[in-house]
Amino acid sequence: MNGFEKRKERKKQAILHTALRLFSESGVQKVSIKEIAAKAQVSQVTIYNYFGGKDELLFEAVQMFIKDQTEQFRATVQNTDQSFRDKIHKLLQDKKENMLHLHQDFLQAVTGSHPELKDWVDRFTARETIPILTELIEQGKAEGSVRASLSFQSILLYIDMYYKALRTNADFFTASPESLSEEWSDLFFYGLAGMDKDHI
């Protein structure tokens, strides 16, 4: 990569990071190309030349966000200094923070409100995310923290139910005391009839 190509790539990355920050803070609809250009200190023409338009810029910004989240997920799962339970609590906390602090309009884009983007997310999830999640579940079973009889499909459905509840009840977690939020995380992990976490 020559000097011109390096400068172009740096400028493109600056635009992407700026767009991602604005989309996640203010929502996709409220953010304009003009605002992104001003914050990234480039011309609007540069953005159109590099990305084609707002939809294409959103597509690449969401891709970058999901890839970054996946690498953080991978790092947590492969951290040999943490137990399965510690990893689960960290992952639940990270997901909750995302749900509470990212604009709902942006989260809808991430979860696939655009057909082409949804197709990409589905393929990426199958290729990258599911294998990491499988590794995590196998760790849990090996430690005895996950019942060996539970199928991966059932566990995946359970996790999906939890995340959907977070997305549709964000106000509950914002207004509730931290103790209640922690209680709900414990409910996810230990269930209604499970042993108290202090005795496991």
Side-chain angles (χ1 to χ4, degrees):
M1 186 180 291
N2 59 38
F4 172 77
E5 291 172 333
K6 288 180 180 178
R7 288 192 297 273
K8 181 178 178 179
E9 184 60 26
R10 282 198 298 268
K11 190 176 294 186
K12 184 176 181 180
Q13 289 300 312
I15 294 168
L16 272 174
H17 281 90
T18 300
L20 177 58
R21 177 172 58 81
L22 293 174
F23 287 150
S24 63
E25 290 176 353
S26 304
V28 178
Q29 300 302 321
K30 292 184 179 180
V31 176
S32 66
I33 290 292
K34 180 179 180 180
E35 182 180 4
I36 296 170
K39 296 288 186 180
Q41 298 182 327
V42 299
S43 69
Q44 295 182 58
V45 172
T46 297
I47 294 179
Y48 285 114
N49 285 340
Y50 286 179
F51 298 97
K54 184 177 175 180
D55 286 344
E56 292 83 0
L57 179 56
L58 171 64
F59 192 101
E60 291 202 36
V62 169
Q63 285 183 320
M64 183 172 67
F65 173 79
I66 291 177
K67 289 176 180 178
D68 180 64
Q69 292 290 301
T70 301
E71 287 311 306
Q72 292 181 41
F73 178 33
R74 190 192 311 277
T76 297
V77 170
Q78 296 179 349
N79 183 352
T80 58
D81 294 329
Q82 285 187 313
S83 68
F84 174 78
R85 288 193 293 272
D86 290 338
K87 292 175 183 180
I88 287 292
H89 281 299
K90 181 182 186 308
L91 292 169
L92 293 180
Q93 184 64 30
D94 289 347
K95 179 63 70 171
K96 185 178 70 174
E97 290 299 313
N98 277 344
M99 294 296 180
L100 296 181
H101 297 112
L102 296 177
H103 197 282
Q104 288 299 308
D105 187 29
F106 175 71
L107 285 174
Q108 287 178 0
V110 172
T111 54
S113 59
H114 298 70
E116 187 179 355
L117 186 53
K118 183 179 185 304
D119 181 61
W120 182 88
V121 170
D122 289 345
R123 286 185 283 107
F124 184 86
T125 299
R127 185 179 68 252
E128 300 290 341
T129 310
I130 294 300
I132 304 172
L133 185 56
T134 301
E135 180 180 348
L136 177 63
I137 298 305
E138 290 304 316
Q139 289 177 17
K141 289 185 176 183
E143 290 183 19
S145 298
V146 175
R147 293 206 313 270
S149 60
L150 290 177
S151 68
F152 179 75
Q153 289 77 8
S154 293
I155 295 171
L156 191 62
L157 177 61
Y158 185 61
I159 293 172
D160 187 56
M161 289 166 57
Y162 180 89
Y163 288 165
K164 283 180 179 176
L166 279 177
R167 287 196 295 269
T168 56
N169 296 277
D171 291 343
F172 168 83
F173 290 97
T174 303
S176 298
E178 183 64 24
S179 59
L180 188 57
S181 179
E182 288 300 317
E183 183 178 307
W184 212 71
S185 293
D186 288 343
L187 184 62
F188 168 88
F189 190 79
Y190 302 103
L192 290 173
M195 293 177 62
D196 185 270
K197 63 179 181 178
D198 295 328
H199 296 95
I200 295 181

